[in-house]
Amino acid sequence: MSEHQYAMVMDLNKCLGCQTCTMACKKQWTDHDGMEYMYWNNVETRPGKGYPRNWDGIGGGFDRYGQLAPSPLPVAEDYGKAWEYNYEERIFDGGKKSVQPNDRKLSWGPNWDEDQGKLNGADNFYFYLPRLCNHCTHPACVEACTRKAIYKRAEDGIVLIDQDRCQGYRHCIQACPYKKIYYNEVLGKSQKCIFCYPRLEKGKVNACAAQCPGRLRFVGLLDDPESPVHKLVLKYKVALGLLPERGTGPNVYYVPPFNPPRRANYGKGLLDDPRIPLGYLKYLFGLEVIDVLKRLETELAKAQSGEQSEILQLLIGRDAEVRYRIVDVHTMQPFDSSPTHLLQLGLIKR
Ligand code: SF4
Ligand code: SF4
């Protein structure tokens, strides 16, 4: 058990699917050899197969007896690969060809099924699901690593892989139910999201959160009553972890998408059942999602009738000071990022 736990809340009602977070992370952390296919942060369209393909359908995490339940390893085709487009053909060949990937045999890649969702007429719906390592409270990856290379930091609960100890056995990838560890073939090591700990230690929020134009990411310590994540998860109870039944205790939480009634085909009014089948939301976020949706609807009705809703005010999150509370975990006070303090902590050199 760690002393404190960093957590992130994402309000799915605000995600634009723009992938700015994905690019912010890629540029900051995975712009090196062997990391080309790695998306420590990715944003996928749901319902959809995600990245790697079918990650949620193959297992991982713990079974009902608390035993590790490893999945098969995803294969290269489940990740796909980066590709170039046929711009030359399009521009110089009389414009006869449409723009397509140069490799016509591709069958999957990151964000492959973007915006497809469920395709049938009035049943159609989709939403975006940004994903990163959940820095779980009971990380299956840590338990599965026979080299004891993966550890959970005592001071803030961030889960890291010691690159010197890792031998690339990939038991961690099989164990993680979210498939958020990637194998670097060049180095022969497993690598994953580090929750931007070098940024946090200087009082800066995670790169994905800093760049998000939807302002939907909230960051702080779960056990800090002043932090937005404490309020959204523990006080107001409007955010839930993904696939909770896998037993790892994820610390990335989601405010589920509002779920108004479905529209009939060709604008013929509203139907009785909700836009997103409740079974699908229960599958993603557990049974509690029903109560969370009710809570959100109550708050929405309050705001619509002119009353103040603290929860919705917080979720609007206009200012960075509302969305993030990065504290020095030793003092639990907002981070002092003055050069003198950073020198004292040994985080910068004179
Ligand atoms: S999400 Fe996966 S990789 Fe991250 S801590 Fe949990 S089990 Fe480990
Ligand atoms: S940057 Fe924000 S809005 Fe854009 S895809 Fe990522 S989480 Fe969604």
Side-chain angles (χ1 to χ4, degrees), residues 23-24 28 46 48 77 93-94 113 161 174 210 226 261 309 312 317 320:
M23 288 303 111
Q28 177 119 40
R46 285 275 147 181
E77 290 74 33
D93 193 20
D113 52 1
I161 304 178
Q174 293 182 276
E226 297 297 313
S309 162
L312 292 191

Side-chain angles (χ1 to χ4, degrees), residues 30 60 174 212-213:
T30 61
Q174 293 182 276
C212 173

Side-chain angles (χ1 to χ4, degrees), residues 10-12 14-24 41-43 128-131 208-209 211-217:
M10 298 195 232
D11 182 353
L12 296 184
K14 294 167 76 183
C15 182
L16 319 165
C18 64
Q19 307 284 355
T20 311
C21 50
T22 309
M23 288 303 111
N41 178 101
N42 76 299
V43 183
Y128 302 113
L129 184 71
R131 300 205 304 117
C208 56
Q211 296 295 323
C212 173
R215 304 182 192 188
L216 59 100
R217 296 187 184 228

Side-chain angles (χ1 to χ4, degrees), residues 289-309:
V289 76
I290 304 297
D291 290 338
V292 168
L293 285 170
K294 278 189 197 140
R295 232 167 265 139
L296 288 169
E297 275 156 24
T298 309
E299 291 304 310
L300 194 58
K302 237 164 89 174
Q304 283 166 345
S305 68
E307 266 185 76
Q308 187 79 2
S309 162

Side-chain angles (χ1 to χ4, degrees), residues 47-176:
K49 293 192 174 129
Y51 187 77
R53 181 167 50 189
N54 285 332
W55 64 266
D56 56 322
I58 58 175
F62 299 97
D63 64 19
R64 68 172 89 159
Y65 308 107
Q67 300 295 314
L68 276 176
S71 75
L73 274 177
V75 295
E77 290 74 33
D78 295 326
Y79 294 98
K81 57 180 179 182
W83 61 82
E84 296 295 333
Y85 289 94
N86 63 336
Y87 294 124
E88 295 220 343
E89 264 183 348
R90 173 74 183 149
I91 296 166
F92 299 114
D93 193 20
K96 281 180 242 150
K97 295 249 163 64
S98 57
V99 177
Q100 322 175 11
N102 271 333
D103 182 348
R104 307 281 155 84
K105 290 194 192 120
L106 290 167
S107 65
W108 200 250
N111 211 18
W112 185 270
D113 52 1
E114 181 179 36
D115 291 359
Q116 285 185 11
K118 190 171 185 305
L119 287 173
N120 300 334
D123 290 345
N124 180 270
F125 73 92
Y126 70 82
F127 57 91
Y128 302 113
L129 184 71
R131 300 205 304 117
L132 55 142
C133 165
N134 291 283
H135 298 276
C136 304
T137 302
H138 312 293
C141 56
V142 171
E143 196 157 322
C145 178
T146 48
R147 287 281 302 162
K148 300 211 178 310
I150 313 185
Y151 60 101
K152 190 165 173 66
R153 296 212 305 190
E155 66 270 36
D156 56 16
I158 294 175
V159 174
L160 297 175
I161 304 178
D162 179 336
Q163 292 288 285
D164 292 331
R165 290 198 63 77
C166 177
Q167 293 287 325
Y169 297 159
R170 286 166 273 178
H171 301 314
C172 53
I173 303 179
Q174 293 182 276
C176 173

